[in-house]
Amino acid sequence: MFRRILVPTDGTERSTVALEAALRLATLGQGTIVGVHASPPPYVMAPELGLAAPIHDAWRQEREQLGQDAVAYVRRRAGEAGVPCETLLVTGLPPSEAIIRSAREQLCDLIVMASRGRGGLAGRLIGSETWKVLSHSAIPVLVLR
C-alpha cells in the first residue's frame, strides 16, 4: 500500500477528482496525503511601461491566495475523511518540476493527479504538465481524467 501520496492541486474541480481518489487510497493503506500547490514563475513584464511592479504584485497576491485556498481545501477534505495531511506551497518553479521535487523531498511513494486532457496541437506545442511528470517521475503516477 502507498503510505505517502502527493496530490497536486490547482483549486479546480478537476484536481478534486484526484484528491478524492488519493483520499480513498490513503484510507485503505492508512497513509498520509501531501497536498501541493505549485505557482509558476511570473511572466516577464516590460518595466518601461511603468506597470510591471503593480501588475506583478497583484498577480503574486492573487496566486498566493489561490494556492492557500487550494491547500486549505485539501486539508479540510483530508480532515473530514480522517486522513493525515500535510500541505506545501511551492513558488517559482514550473509545476511539473515542483511536483516531482516535492514528491522526492517529502518521500512520497505515489503521485495522484488529474489530466487536463489537452491533446492535439496545443498539447504538443505547450506540453502537458501531466506528461512531464509521467516522463520524469521516479515514483508511480496515477493519472485521472
Side-chain angles (χ1 to χ4, degrees):
M1 282 297 181
F2 300 107
R3 304 292 297 162
R4 291 183 62 78
I5 303 169
L6 186 101
V7 183
T9 180
D10 60 3
T12 64
E13 189 163 331
R14 187 176 48 259
S15 61
T16 300
V17 171
L19 173 61
E20 294 305 319
L23 288 170
R24 286 191 299 273
L25 288 170
T27 300
L28 290 171
Q30 298 176 338
T32 298
I33 295 292
V34 179
V36 64
H37 176 80
S39 184
Y43 294 103
V44 177
M45 296 179 201
E48 62 273 3
L49 296 178
L51 299 174
I55 292 171
H56 179 266
D57 289 344
W59 178 87
R60 185 184 47 75
Q61 289 173 351
E62 183 179 321
R63 297 301 300 177
E64 281 179 17
Q65 188 62 55
L66 176 69
Q68 290 171 2
D69 292 347
V71 296
Y73 180 77
V74 170
R75 279 192 302 272
R76 184 169 54 85
R77 282 296 300 123
E80 291 169 356
V83 173
C85 178
E86 301 166 17
T87 57
L88 303 167
L89 293 171
V90 181
T91 59
L93 293 173
S96 58
E97 187 177 332
I99 292 165
I100 292 167
R101 183 180 292 184
S102 296
R104 183 178 59 246
E105 290 174 356
Q106 298 300 313
L107 304 175
C108 294
D109 48 14
L110 177 67
I111 299 170
V112 177
M113 61 190 300
S115 174
R116 186 168 281 168
R118 182 184 294 139
L121 185 58
R124 289 187 188 130
L125 288 177
I126 62 175
S128 159
E129 295 303 319
T130 304
W131 177 251
K132 292 172 191 171
V133 171
L134 281 167
S135 300
H136 296 97
S137 177
I139 65 171
V141 180
L142 174 61
V143 178
L144 299 159
R145 268 190 110 142

